Amino acid sequence: MSVGVTSISLKSNDACWCGSGRKYKRCHKQSQAPLRPGRLSPTRPVPEGITRPDYADTGDPGDWEEPMIRPPEVIEAVRRASRAAAEVLAVVGAAVRPGITTDALDALAHAECIARGGYPSPLNYNGFPKSLCTSVNEVICHGIPDDRALVDGDIVNLDVTIFLDGVHGDTNATFLVGEVDEESRRLVAVTHECLLDGIAAVRPGRPISDIGAAIEARAHAGGYGVVRSFVGHGVARRFHGPPQVPHHFDPSATTIMRPGMTFTVEPMITLGTWRHLMWDDGWTAVTADKRRTAQFEHTLLVADSGAEILTLAD
Ligand code: MF3
Ligand code: CO
Ligand code: CO
């Protein structure tokens, strides 16, 4: 007889083996099939009247200078774009359910950005083919929406960025699909706490490495990993600009936080290794051990007293 996970033959509604008294499907059952690339739908058009970012046609965002301390009119624009991004994320998140494809979520995000007069920032950013990032289970970030239907027990991160009034607002959250096992629910909850701890570490006069120090302390206390290869970033007229915001403690992140900066904090937290592998599509980053990972993201403004979270819906 085999031992290990393959020997578990419990049915979904049986009592879990761990003695919790909960149904197996609500406790330790976890979908184990590794994710595979699916098929992409045709490119979604953006109406003429929507202002497009510089890379929309070429795919190349370039590398131009933008001051880290934003002028007041840029800050006001980032406020509006960020609020819109949060609204779109709420709408698309509410559509998450078993059976819906990530492509259908992309169609919804695309339409909701346009309905607010904005351009879905991911579309053709460095050639990204869709308007939303959908990262399922072991996908760390930048999952491409395709024809795979979400399955009961999955977790899925939806990352919405909108280009509105000449700037970007960027936010993401991880959603539970139907009944999700205990270990994954904990991962998602801890990841959200990591985001909040990182935000609480934002203070003018302090180095940006304080953010990662706070996130890492929370994650390591629970035995979780912190992804290093993808970081938070300045966001305003550029989708991704300085400063970089590591989510682990990186003493070389010496930029001093100053009022008027706008950047994201977006920790990616793992059940196992923090190392990643890249799919052949050049976008989809998965954990090297294929264990699950979660992420939450806000766009922040450094104010005199600390962080103001801009990606909140009304
Ligand atoms: N929204 C992602 C972030 O938080 C970036 C997505 S880039 C894309 O930085 F090209 F994949 F869309
Ligand atoms: Co971001
Ligand atoms: Co994002």
Side-chain angles (χ1 to χ4, degrees), residues 121-123 125-126 128 130 133 142 159-161 170 172 231 233 239-240 264 266 283 295 297:
S121 305
L123 188 59
Y125 181 78
N126 287 130
F128 190 82
K130 291 290 163 190
C133 296
H142 305 162
D159 192 339
V160 170
T161 314
D170 189 7
N172 76 48
V231 297
H233 51 92
F239 190 170
H240 295 105
T264 71
E266 48 182 299
W283 284 105
Q295 184 181 24
E297 174 177 30

Side-chain angles (χ1 to χ4, degrees), residues 24-312:
Y24 178 48
K25 72 179 182 189
R26 295 183 188 210
C27 196
H28 280 92
K29 185 170 188 279
Q30 191 170 109
S31 133
Q32 308 227 331
L35 206 72
R36 302 258 176 251
R39 275 182 223 277
L40 304 201
S41 63
T43 304
R44 300 201 148 83
V46 176
E48 290 274 342
I50 299 287
T51 304
R52 303 157 72 82
D54 50 6
Y55 57 79
D57 297 308
T58 63
D60 180 7
D63 185 20
W64 35 279
E65 294 285 322
E66 183 178 17
M68 281 198 281
I69 298 174
R70 323 297 185 192
E73 65 276 12
V74 170
I75 292 174
E76 287 316 303
V78 177
R79 283 184 193 286
R80 290 190 292 271
S82 296
R83 189 177 313 119
E87 290 170 5
V88 173
L89 180 60
V91 171
V92 183
V96 168
R97 56 176 167 72
I100 194 167
T101 64
T102 50
D103 186 64
L105 297 173
D106 180 75
L108 185 53
H110 185 87
E112 291 289 329
C113 286
I114 289 166
R116 286 165 178 77
Y119 177 95
S121 305
L123 188 59
N124 208 29
Y125 181 78
N126 287 130
F128 190 82
K130 291 290 163 190
S131 301
L132 174 73
C133 296
T134 55
S135 300
V136 175
N137 297 342
E138 69 266 30
V139 179
I140 293 170
C141 61
H142 305 162
I144 301 173
D146 63 20
D147 63 351
R148 180 185 182 275
L150 295 175
V151 175
D152 187 49
D154 282 347
I155 60 173
V156 59
N157 178 278
L158 305 179
D159 192 339
V160 170
T161 314
I162 188 171
F163 180 72
L164 185 67
D165 290 350
V167 305
H168 302 269
D170 189 7
T171 184
N172 76 48
T174 301
F175 296 85
L176 307 179
V177 183
E179 297 287 351
V180 170
D181 68 280
E182 166 88 17
E183 183 181 52
S184 303
R185 292 198 311 269
R186 278 228 176 91
L187 168 70
V188 172
V190 167
T191 304
H192 190 242
E193 285 166 0
C194 284
L195 171 63
L196 297 182
D197 284 2
I199 292 171
V202 171
R203 265 184 53 197
R206 295 292 309 169
I208 221 149
S209 60
D210 278 11
I211 296 170
I215 291 167
E216 185 174 88
R218 165 76 68 166
H220 286 180
Y224 298 92
V226 180
V227 170
R228 299 181 176 204
S229 304
F230 302 92
V231 297
H233 51 92
V235 60
R237 295 177 56 230
R238 288 178 64 174
F239 190 170
H240 295 105
Q244 289 198 10
V245 184
H247 301 112
H248 70 295
F249 175 63
D250 177 353
S252 74
T254 55
T255 303
I256 301 298
M257 294 183 263
R258 302 281 181 208
M261 288 182 171
T262 56
F263 54 75
T264 71
V265 175
E266 48 182 299
M268 289 140 276
I269 305 299
T270 61
L271 287 179
T273 183
W274 54 267
R275 293 181 187 276
H276 78 280
L277 294 173
M278 187 65 83
W279 278 7
D280 290 343
D281 63 19
W283 284 105
T284 309
V286 296
T287 54
D289 58 9
K290 313 290 161 51
R291 296 189 70 195
R292 288 182 170 195
T293 171
Q295 184 181 24
F296 286 86
E297 174 177 30
H298 275 307
T299 294
L300 309 176
L301 168 67
V302 181
D304 292 335
S305 52
E308 187 183 332
I309 301 176
L310 301 185
T311 35
L312 296 175

